[in-house]
Amino acid sequence: MFYDREDAARQLAKKLERYRGKKPLILAIPRGAVCMAKIIADKLEGEYDVVLVRKLRAPYQPELAIGSVD
């Protein structure tokens, strides 16, 4: 479906083309999405920022996320 994250960001920006020039704010969650947000924001002539969240872990399974808190 996607070659890599950059390819995914370019494809998403293409789908969001109607927002180009309307100064959209692209919010990214760290650990992979920040580079994608920059690509999308650049293509849509908008801005990007980072949303810091904390993972809610499942009991007895610390790597399993069941949600997040901002």
Side-chain angles (χ1 to χ4, degrees):
M1 185 181 288
F2 308 112
Y3 179 73
D4 56 17
R5 289 179 193 263
E6 292 178 10
D7 178 48
R10 285 190 291 275
Q11 288 187 42
L12 180 56
K14 198 173 194 178
K15 298 280 186 183
L16 298 172
E17 187 65 31
R18 66 178 170 232
Y19 298 105
R20 184 178 185 161
K22 295 182 180 181
K23 299 184 180 181
L25 175 61
I26 311 302
L27 297 175
I29 298 172
R31 298 189 82 174
V34 177
C35 62
M36 295 176 70
K38 178 166 179 16
I39 292 169
I40 296 167
D42 288 347
K43 294 214 177 274
L44 299 181
E45 300 172 1
E47 297 182 25
Y48 74 100
D49 203 349
V50 177
V51 177
L52 300 177
V53 296
R54 185 157 179 89
K55 176 170 64 171
L56 293 177
R57 296 184 170 124
Y60 310 110
Q61 297 181 3
E63 293 303 313
L64 176 62
I66 59 172
S68 63
V69 177
D70 179 19

